[in-house]
Amino acid sequence: MRRVCFLLRVKPDRLDEYRQRHRAVWPEMQQALRETGWHNYSLFLTDDGLLVGYLETEDFEAAKAGMAEREINRRWQSEMADFFEDLESGSADTDMRPLTEVFHLD
């Protein structure tokens, strides 16, 4: 299982709404994540908008590709895109870049 960590930045004026949206992630979206191989997926948010994501997956590229094929994900990404700063592609899913793991204690 590969561990993946990524960073994004949420606009400071959208932090409260971002938190609220993630307290009620659509059940269909959660199911799609599970079905496409996203495990132990967590998001952490600082008060200045730094978003840290963590997940475990067998194949990160396949997991992203699987979500890209889902209509529910396209709807979620479309609704969430305006929450983020500096999205080159217009979607958080395609802009997330994994960090390089330099240490792991098992």
Side-chain angles (χ1 to χ4, degrees):
M1 198 63 88
R2 177 179 173 197
R3 292 177 302 278
V4 177
C5 184
F6 61 87
L7 303 175
L8 291 166
R9 184 155 297 275
V10 176
K11 294 175 181 175
D13 63 333
R14 303 297 301 271
L15 294 174
D16 289 339
E17 187 180 356
Y18 186 86
R19 288 183 186 102
Q20 180 181 19
R21 293 277 187 107
H22 282 82
R23 284 192 291 271
V25 174
W26 306 330
E28 302 89 351
M29 183 64 173
Q30 293 180 43
Q31 185 63 33
L33 287 163
R34 287 183 188 98
E35 290 173 356
T36 56
W38 299 62
H39 305 285
N40 293 321
Y41 185 26
S42 297
L43 296 172
F44 303 89
L45 184 61
T46 65
D47 289 338
D48 69 353
L50 179 63
L51 181 73
V52 178
Y54 174 84
L55 66 120
E56 296 173 357
T57 187
E58 293 293 331
D59 182 335
F60 186 51
E61 294 306 317
K64 288 194 314 181
M67 286 303 289
E69 296 173 358
R70 304 289 178 110
E71 175 60 29
I72 191 71
N73 186 57
R74 285 189 288 277
R75 284 185 22 229
W76 179 266
Q77 295 303 321
S78 176
E79 287 196 17
M80 298 304 294
D82 191 49
F83 285 82
F84 295 97
E85 292 182 354
D86 304 322
L87 289 182
E88 293 178 17
S89 70
S91 170
D93 270 7
T94 52
D95 273 22
M96 56 172 85
R97 303 285 182 261
L99 301 175
T100 301
E101 184 175 312
V102 295
F103 176 77
H104 174 75
L105 176 66
D106 193 16

